[in-house]
Amino acid sequence: MVDYIIVGLGLAGTSFAEQLLAGNKSFVVFDDDSQQSSVVAGGLYNPVILKRFTKVWRAHEQLKKAKPFYARLESKLDMRFDYKVPVYRRFASVEEQNLWFDASDKPLLEDFLSTKIIQKDHSCIEATYGYGEVLGTGRIDTESLVKAYTKYLNSRGLLIREKFNYELLELSENYIEYKDLKAKHIVFCDGFGLKRNPFFNYLPLNGTKGELLTIHAPALKINFVLKSSVFLIPIGEDLYRVGATYEWHDKTNEVTEKARQELLSKMETFIKCDYKVVDQKAGIRPTVTDRRPLVGQHPEHKNLYILNGMGSRGVMIAPDASEQLYQFITHQSELDEDMNIRRFDKKYKSLNQ
Ligand SMILES: Cc1cc2nc3c(=O)[nH]c(=O)nc-3n(C[C@H](O)[C@H](O)[C@H](O)COP(=O)(O)OP(=O)(O)OC[C@H]3O[C@@H](n4cnc5c(N)ncnc54)[C@H](O)[C@@H]3O)c2cc1C
């Protein structure tokens, strides 16, 4: 008998496993590499929505949890994941500069938007109207993090690298059984894999495919994340991630020529130097119709829990949401009601009458 089974080892599963280790709980994790979102992510943490200059939901609370969480993981795994790079929003007009100033005056945003306009002469970048700097931003190297954590759990015998077959789960009052395992609780962190999860697929997870390119651009030499019609993220050795696309119909992890062309044509509106595309990746973001995470307990089966729906912001959301779920299970603390799946109870009832 273990305390927990976790299904899925992306950012959500990793964050929840860390809660369990800190709380001295026993567990095993299943993962089959069927979803790629956490591995391909750009990894940015950025408290501001840069299209509209508005604050991200729970930005202060999330950053307060996320920064120490990644710092602890860095020291535990003895690796660097957290690159504290600034994000510069390129302005396309004087109107955009004015909108930025208006926004930076608002009490909720003043901690995050610098009031200086940055002018940088750079032969490769067209930026007549300069940039605004977002404060408190950075990039988590999520690929290295997930891979290192996978290795860490594997070396401790806590990882089962196989597909979790939902049909084989047997439910009892005080525990669940799966093959030869017994556990008090099971937490599904299965990302877009939730679509095949019969216990939670009543929830409105729609999934949004995203693709990213990696380019090699030796003349570019920027040490900040540049946000214009696409993000350009420096990852070292003259390599930059360019992304990402948003596609609502295709739900595969396959890369496409269409996405490559879209990203390059957007990038070429503001970058004027030679580059070579060296990589392209795709994944499905676990996005939800109301843009809030899916966290909580199954409406009928009390041993089943979900930690999902992190959309395009898993880096910031996962540490906060996993802590909330852990406190909810172990100390019956209230979950933030915006993320609690109880908001979909009516839907569950109407489907199960
Ligand atoms: C192109 C792109 C760029 C992005 N950029 C950013 C960014 O800059 N910043 C940011 O915060 N977020 C970004 N995101 C979003 C971020 O990746 C997600 O919010 C986050 O990774 C979701 O994590 P997760 O653990 O919930 O899901 P996933 O990463 O999808 O993990 C789910 C895991 O469950 C496993 N699994 C599923 N079903 C089963 C099963 N039946 N049996 C066993 N294992 C199973 C999968 O193999 C997978 O490992 C981006 C996403 C994409 C696609």
Side-chain angles (χ1 to χ4, degrees):
M1 177 84 122
V2 288
D3 293 318
Y4 289 80
I5 292 175
I6 300 176
V7 178
L9 194 60
L11 289 173
T14 299
S15 305
F16 197 75
E18 277 296 284
Q19 292 292 331
L20 296 181
L21 287 171
N24 270 325
K25 304 290 181 193
S26 56
F27 68 96
V28 286
V29 183
F30 282 82
D31 197 282
D32 65 352
D33 287 336
S34 54
Q35 293 299 324
Q36 296 298 312
S37 193
S38 298
V39 179
V40 307
L44 293 180
Y45 52 91
N46 162 28
V48 182
I49 298 169
L50 289 172
K51 233 185 205 169
R52 291 171 268 145
F53 306 150
T54 50
K55 189 178 73 87
V56 162
W57 169 74
R58 284 179 65 80
H60 284 94
E61 294 89 336
Q62 287 171 4
L63 282 176
K64 227 165 101 186
K65 300 278 167 63
K67 291 189 175 181
F69 170 80
Y70 293 112
R72 278 195 304 275
L73 266 184
E74 283 187 328
S75 69
K76 173 175 186 157
L77 301 173
D78 196 21
M79 275 179 86
R80 186 169 177 203
F81 309 117
D82 186 358
Y83 296 85
K84 294 184 171 53
V85 277
V87 172
Y88 286 5
R89 167 65 154 83
R90 173 182 167 270
F91 297 126
S93 62
V94 174
E95 287 73 35
E96 275 200 348
Q97 289 179 341
N98 291 337
L99 286 174
W100 177 277
F101 280 126
D102 287 350
S104 63
D105 236 9
K106 293 184 184 148
L108 287 175
L109 280 165
E110 63 187 359
D111 293 347
F112 299 135
L113 297 186
S114 157
T115 48
K116 276 201 307 260
I117 296 228
I118 296 171
Q119 296 286 356
K120 273 187 186 277
D121 274 340
H122 196 304
S123 58
C124 289
I125 308 173
E126 199 293 294
T128 313
Y129 300 98
Y131 310 91
E133 181 180 352
V134 189
L135 308 171
T137 59
R139 172 178 75 90
I140 299 296
D141 178 351
T142 54
E143 181 178 8
S144 300
L145 186 155
V146 172
K147 287 186 172 160
Y149 205 74
T150 299
K151 212 164 143 194
Y152 170 80
L153 289 188
N154 206 26
S155 67
R156 279 157 185 76
L158 300 176
L159 180 63
I160 302 176
R161 305 192 81 159
E162 64 180 49
K163 182 184 173 69
F164 184 88
N165 185 345
Y166 303 100
E167 316 301 327
L168 299 183
L169 186 63
E170 290 178 42
L171 309 176
S172 305
E173 184 67 21
N174 295 318
Y175 58 88
I176 52 114
E177 282 179 275
Y178 181 75
K179 298 185 178 173
D180 51 357
L181 279 169
K182 252 189 187 185
K184 292 181 193 152
H185 315 275
I186 182 163
V187 180
F188 292 104
C189 303
D190 39 6
F192 189 64
L194 178 90
K195 284 288 176 204
R196 286 190 296 272
N197 180 333
F199 303 102
F200 287 106
N201 65 6
Y202 70 94
L203 295 167
L205 184 94
N206 41 23
T208 311
K209 181 170 180 173
E211 294 193 48
L212 276 170
L213 302 175
T214 306
I215 61 164
H216 184 236
L220 193 51
K221 300 271 178 269
I222 57 171
N223 55 3
F224 53 89
V225 172
L226 170 52
K227 165 65 176 144
S228 187
S229 45
V230 283
F231 275 100
L232 210 70
I233 308 169
I235 57 170
E237 298 178 355
D238 295 324
L239 296 169
Y240 299 85
R241 290 262 157 77
V242 183
T245 56
Y246 286 79
E247 155 62 51
W248 288 269
H249 300 292
D250 176 3
K251 307 290 188 193
T252 69
N253 288 324
E254 307 301 318
V255 299
T256 63
E257 183 57 27
K258 181 169 165 256
R260 178 188 166 110
Q261 291 309 328
E262 177 188 327
L263 292 171
L264 293 181
S265 68
K266 284 185 175 166
M267 183 186 82
E268 285 176 6
T269 60
F270 61 97
I271 294 294
K272 314 281 172 208
C273 64
D274 290 338
Y275 65 85
K276 196 171 157 218
V277 177
V278 295
D279 198 13
Q280 183 171 355
K281 289 200 161 90
I284 313 290
R285 304 171 183 92
T287 47
V288 184
T289 44
D290 68 358
R291 294 163 182 255
R292 294 290 175 263
L294 298 169
V295 183
Q297 186 175 38
H298 191 275
E300 270 185 80
H301 308 299
K302 303 301 175 200
N303 312 320
L304 311 189
Y305 298 89
I306 182 169
L307 182 61
N308 206 319
M310 317 238 158
S312 52
R313 298 193 180 270
V315 169
M316 278 173 65
I317 295 175
D320 176 33
S322 61
E323 187 180 316
Q324 286 207 35
L325 180 63
Y326 182 73
Q327 293 301 328
F328 170 78
I329 301 173
T330 53
H331 294 96
Q332 294 77 50
S333 311
E334 290 285 319
L335 284 170
D336 179 289
E337 63 182 44
D338 285 347
M339 65 170 96
N340 194 335
I341 56 166
R342 297 221 56 173
R343 68 193 189 276
F344 299 112
D345 273 3
K346 264 194 192 148
K347 187 164 186 224
Y348 180 79
K349 280 189 192 126
S350 71
L351 292 170
N352 290 280
Q353 265 166 3

